[in-house]
Amino acid sequence: MVFGYKCFNDDLTNNYGFQFEVGKSYSVNGNIKFGINGNGYHMCSRLEDTLRYVDMNDDFVIAEVIGFGDMVLSEDEYNGYYDMYAVRKLYIKRFISREEMIKMMLEVDENRAFRFIQFFPLSEEEKEMFKLAYASKEKVLDGISYYQDGDTEVYARKKNACFVKKKGD
C-alpha cells in the first residue's frame, strides 16, 4: 500500500476520460507498467510531482489517493522526480483544496517548492506568501521570477553578474 496524490481534470476525469469519484476504489487488469503506454493508475508520493502530468492551461484538481495491489515504482533521477507509481488498485480518499495545497507547499524544502512553482499557477497573494516563506532561498525566488512572473532574463542576469564579478576580482 502506498499513500499519495493524483491529478484529475476538474470534472474528475483522467486524461483518458475515465470518471472517478471520492470514496471509491478502481482497479485494472493485466500487467502493471508505468508510463504513457503503461497499464495501471498513476500516482505520486509528492503532491508537486503530480503537476508534471497536467496541462496548466486546463482546470484540474488533486486528490489524496491510496494505491494498493501490484505496483511499479518509477523514478526519474535526472529530473528529480521520485516515488511515482503505477498501481493495480486506486482508492480516491479526498480532493485537496487550493488553500490546503498552498499551505502544504509552504512547508516543504526548497527543491520541492521549486518543482511546485514551476508548474502551479500562483496568484499574486500566493507568490508573496512563497517569497516570504522562502526569503533566503534563491532557487525558489528565482523560480518565482522565471516561472510565475515570466522574467526570462533572471538567470542570464545572474550569470552575467557572476561573470563580471569574477572578471573584476
Side-chain angles (χ1 to χ4, degrees):
M1 181 181 316
V2 64
F3 296 88
Y5 304 92
K6 181 169 180 61
C7 275
F8 297 91
N9 298 318
D10 67 341
D11 63 356
L12 309 185
T13 59
N14 66 5
N15 290 336
Y16 305 102
F18 187 83
Q19 185 72 52
F20 290 84
E21 293 180 43
V22 171
K24 291 199 173 183
S25 293
Y26 301 88
S27 67
V28 295
N29 296 319
N31 292 330
I32 302 303
K33 180 180 175 189
F34 191 86
I36 197 162
N37 295 317
N39 183 44
Y41 296 105
H42 291 95
M43 61 176 286
C44 298
S45 292
R46 292 174 193 82
L47 182 144
E48 68 275 10
D49 292 344
T50 65
L51 300 173
R52 180 178 184 186
Y53 301 101
V54 176
D55 182 347
M56 288 300 121
N57 295 320
D58 295 337
D59 291 328
F60 63 91
V61 294
I62 297 178
E64 282 184 355
V65 297
I66 302 170
F68 50 102
D70 297 336
M71 60 183 70
V72 173
L73 172 66
S74 177
E75 298 186 323
D76 178 355
E77 191 158 322
Y78 179 80
N79 292 305
Y81 294 98
Y82 302 101
D83 300 333
M84 300 178 298
Y85 295 89
V87 299
R88 178 166 312 281
K89 296 180 181 181
L90 186 75
Y91 174 74
I92 311 300
K93 185 175 175 184
R94 71 182 188 99
F95 287 93
I96 302 170
S97 71
R98 181 181 185 101
E99 293 77 20
E100 286 180 280
M101 277 188 264
I102 297 300
K103 184 177 183 212
M104 288 170 62
M105 298 314 299
L106 286 169
E107 297 175 359
V108 298
D109 67 55
E110 69 182 292
N111 293 319
R112 291 184 62 193
F114 180 79
R115 284 202 312 274
F116 181 75
I117 62 173
Q118 278 182 291
F119 298 107
F120 192 86
L122 298 171
S123 70
E124 291 301 319
E125 180 182 343
E126 292 164 345
K127 284 190 264 186
E128 292 306 315
M129 294 166 68
F130 274 82
K131 288 176 184 178
L132 183 61
Y134 295 95
S136 65
K137 305 298 183 187
E138 193 173 325
K139 180 177 185 174
V140 174
L141 299 175
D142 290 346
I144 291 170
S145 293
Y146 186 84
Y147 294 104
Q148 298 290 323
D149 295 334
D151 180 359
T152 57
E153 299 298 316
V154 67
Y155 295 110
R157 283 192 307 275
K158 289 187 167 291
K159 182 178 177 183
N160 289 338
C162 183
F163 178 73
V164 169
K165 186 177 181 181
K166 285 183 180 180
K167 192 175 180 182
D169 283 344

